[in-house]
Amino acid sequence: MNGMASDNNTSSQEEYLPHYLQKEDPFASKLSREADIVAGFYLTVIGILSTLGNGYVIFMSSKRKKKLRPAEIMTVNLAVCDLGISVVGKPFSIISFFSHRWVFGWMGCRWYGWAGFFFGCGSLITMTAVSLDRYLKICHLSYGTWLKRHHAFICLAIIWAYATFWATVPFAGVGSYAPEPFGTSCTLDWWLAQASVAGQAFILSILFFCLLFPTAVIVFSYVKIILKVKSSTKEVAHYDTRIQNSHILEMKLTKVAMLICAGFLIAWIPYAVVSVWSAFGQQDSVPIQFSVVPTLLAKSAAMYNPIIYQVIDCKFACCRSGGLKVLQKKSSLKKSR
């Protein structure tokens, strides 16, 4: 009986055809022309705002590149990743949505899928590095002071190597890039998991190393930061107003940090859920009209990530300036005494 069951599973996997092989033209849009036009305008607005926002971050950072702190270097790298998604990827999908079909063929599809995965993975791993930096500086001050600029550049090299490896692995024959079910965009071939055990192993590896593990690190870091700030607030409850105000600023900073995590989850988790369901759920069970919404939502992440990080830098600047003012007041008070 077990042998018959395994034979049935093998035959069903061999008989399975992904959506892009079931149709003669996998790049024809499965949406209405009106829906494609709306999606094209949406991506155009997102692309312009993302390009301007991330370009502004990079331009302003270049003026003081020798004075950038490690956390600011990571912020610039995040802006580079998001700018890459906007400049390299979005024009392909915008043109295709307005054309009511993917117009760049299989080579363009693989390039678009690689670029989107490469910059998206780089952005996520950069966010993971930033969360660890915040965690070390707030929860382990000795390690935080140990981190220097050259450590940040080493971290950048690791981030780009990590993203390059996982984005290029599909070209080694263990995976692929394929058109989305709605036809006017391309992504990682999640449907390989329906075809073979090797495809399932590949998709599970991508999910763990490029989504679940980085997300777990981000959540762990910010949860520890919240606990640390709360415990510190209780410890200084009996101190003077100036120290309490400093801890209020730390709490506000933590709330902004949590906003980063929430923004990431809102943008990417719906797309990840739909992708996982496409890979391991019932065959072709995700409606085409439903699959396009998480894709468009995930593409908006490049627009607001740099804004959130700039808010965090402003909060750090406020904390530093406030601390300096307190020290100056204390020194002047001692002199007068």
Side-chain angles (χ1 to χ4, degrees):
M1 293 293 291
N2 293 333
M4 292 177 63
S6 61
D7 291 340
N8 290 333
N9 291 334
T10 303
S11 61
S12 63
Q13 289 179 346
E14 290 177 352
E15 293 174 357
Y16 172 75
L17 286 178
H19 64 88
Y20 53 84
L21 295 179
Q22 296 175 3
K23 308 292 183 180
E24 294 183 359
D25 187 3
F27 299 124
S29 177
K30 310 305 185 298
L31 304 174
S32 65
R33 186 172 294 275
E34 292 77 12
D36 278 335
I37 293 175
V38 171
F41 275 114
Y42 169 81
L43 290 181
T44 300
V45 174
I46 294 296
I48 293 174
L49 295 177
S50 176
T51 302
L52 293 177
N54 291 288
Y56 175 78
V57 171
I58 296 172
F59 174 73
M60 296 302 295
S61 300
S62 65
K63 289 186 174 182
R64 48 188 297 270
K65 56 184 177 181
K66 294 183 179 180
K67 298 181 180 180
L68 292 176
R69 297 174 290 119
E72 293 174 325
I73 294 174
M74 292 292 103
T75 302
V76 174
N77 191 64
L78 178 64
V80 171
C81 293
D82 291 339
L83 184 64
I85 294 175
S86 301
V87 174
V88 177
K90 282 188 173 59
F92 285 79
S93 55
I94 291 172
I95 294 173
S96 296
F97 272 115
F98 282 126
S99 301
H100 197 51
R101 62 174 288 107
W102 179 263
V103 296
F104 301 100
W106 276 104
M107 288 298 295
C109 181
R110 294 186 180 98
W111 159 252
Y112 177 85
W114 180 91
F117 189 24
F118 172 73
F119 288 113
C121 182
S123 179
L124 175 57
I125 303 303
T126 301
M127 291 177 65
T128 306
V130 171
S131 69
L132 284 175
D133 176 75
R134 307 297 189 197
Y135 166 71
L136 291 175
K137 286 186 176 180
I138 295 177
C139 301
H140 302 280
L141 295 179
S142 59
Y143 290 99
T145 55
W146 175 78
L147 294 172
K148 304 298 181 183
R149 280 172 58 93
H150 66 276
H151 296 117
F153 289 113
I154 293 174
C155 186
L156 288 184
I158 295 174
I159 290 172
W160 288 109
Y162 193 92
T164 302
F165 173 79
W166 285 108
T168 311
V169 161
F171 293 127
V174 296
S176 181
Y177 295 100
E180 298 267 16
F182 50 87
T184 48
S185 181
C186 293
T187 185
L188 192 71
D189 193 348
W190 300 98
W191 302 272
L192 286 173
Q194 298 277 3
S196 65
V197 176
Q200 294 176 359
F202 168 72
I203 295 300
L204 288 174
S205 299
I206 291 290
L207 287 173
F208 178 78
F209 289 104
C210 299
L211 179 63
L212 297 179
F213 178 70
T215 303
V217 173
I218 292 172
V219 173
F220 168 81
S221 299
Y222 290 132
V223 167
K224 295 294 288 185
I225 289 172
I226 290 176
L227 296 177
K228 179 66 176 180
V229 172
K230 284 186 176 181
S231 63
S232 300
T233 303
K234 293 179 181 179
E235 291 174 1
V236 300
H238 302 289
Y239 287 88
D240 58 24
T241 306
R242 291 173 300 179
I243 297 178
Q244 291 183 16
N245 290 337
S246 175
H247 279 269
I248 290 174
L249 287 176
E250 290 292 338
M251 182 59 73
K252 291 182 179 179
L253 175 61
T254 304
K255 290 179 180 179
V256 176
M258 288 299 297
L259 183 61
I260 298 172
C261 185
F264 166 75
L265 293 175
I266 291 173
W268 283 103
I269 292 302
Y271 179 77
V273 170
V274 172
S275 299
V276 171
W277 184 261
S278 299
F280 299 100
Q282 296 180 357
Q283 299 177 6
D284 303 326
S285 58
V286 179
I288 293 177
Q289 291 77 8
F290 180 76
S291 66
V292 69
V293 176
T295 302
L296 296 177
L297 181 62
K299 294 179 185 297
S300 68
M303 178 183 67
Y304 54 78
N305 276 343
I307 299 175
I308 297 174
Y309 277 100
Q310 285 305 302
V311 171
I312 284 185
D313 285 338
C314 291
K315 294 293 185 181
F316 270 117
C318 291
C319 292
R320 290 197 302 270
S321 62
L324 288 175
K325 289 179 181 179
V326 170
L327 291 176
Q328 289 173 357
K329 288 182 179 179
K330 290 180 68 176
S331 62
S332 62
L333 184 60
K334 287 181 179 179
K335 288 180 181 179
S336 64
R337 287 179 179 174

